[in-house]
Amino acid sequence: TEGISNSDKLFKRNWEKTKESGITRGAYHFFIATKDGRAQAKNFIRHVKLLPGDLPPVLDVEEHYGVSAAVLQMRIKDFLQTVEDAYKVKPIIYSNASFYNNYLGESFNEYPLWVAHYFEKKQPRVVRDWQFWQHNSSGKVNGIASRVDFNVFNGDYDDFMQLLLK
């Protein structure tokens, strides 16, 4: 989902097909900083029915659209709390390393982090623990015509299983 009313028109089909194929699935919301956080969370909740074995909800926040850091953080907190109340799990925050360090930082360290950072070889440049690292945006996968993002999980199989919804 995105903002207060947008959603992927193919989401329902892809969501169901992913489950049928046995692939761990997850859904994210692209955050629009100029919009109310609770209203955005309700858009996500309306479209995404999570089940045991799914990833926690993911909040993708990469732009401030001219909104002050204080207002941005308040709206993000509203989104996160609303989603956490609905699903009974802490959402994951997805952001690029610079944006996270400059606008979110310590205020959100209690949330799992999925960080995008393409210019490092060994790990992303963030000063906190991270669960996922998107290290490349031009990967090639058999069966997919376009380029895809490549990510790594920071842990082993048991750590990954602990992250999934119960």
Side-chain angles (χ1 to χ4, degrees), residues 90-154:
K90 277 202 176 305
I92 298 169
I93 295 175
Y94 170 92
S95 191
N96 67 65
S98 295
F99 190 88
Y100 187 88
N101 291 334
N102 291 334
Y103 293 98
L104 305 181
E106 292 180 7
S107 296
F108 296 92
N109 281 353
E110 68 187 83
Y111 291 91
L113 179 62
W114 192 327
V115 61
H117 197 227
Y118 305 144
F119 307 108
E120 297 294 324
K121 298 277 187 220
K122 297 185 180 191
Q123 66 180 37
R125 194 175 342 131
V126 290
V127 292
R128 59 155 292 185
D129 291 338
W130 51 272
Q131 283 61 41
F132 294 95
W133 172 26
Q134 186 176 98
H135 58 87
N136 188 320
S137 63
S138 59
K140 187 77 177 117
V141 175
N142 290 338
I144 300 176
S146 61
R147 297 291 178 174
V148 298
D149 298 332
F150 274 3
N151 300 273
V152 295
F153 177 70
N154 188 17

Side-chain angles (χ1 to χ4, degrees), residues 24-25 51-58 89-93 111-114 130-132 152-154 156-166:
T24 301
R25 63 188 185 170
L51 296 172
D54 293 337
L55 285 167
V58 179
V89 65
K90 277 202 176 305
I92 298 169
I93 295 175
Y111 291 91
L113 179 62
W114 192 327
W130 51 272
Q131 283 61 41
F132 294 95
V152 295
F153 177 70
N154 188 17
D156 61 19
Y157 176 82
D158 291 333
D159 296 327
F160 184 73
M161 297 309 289
Q162 286 298 314
L163 183 65
L164 303 179
L165 271 65
K166 309 298 180 252

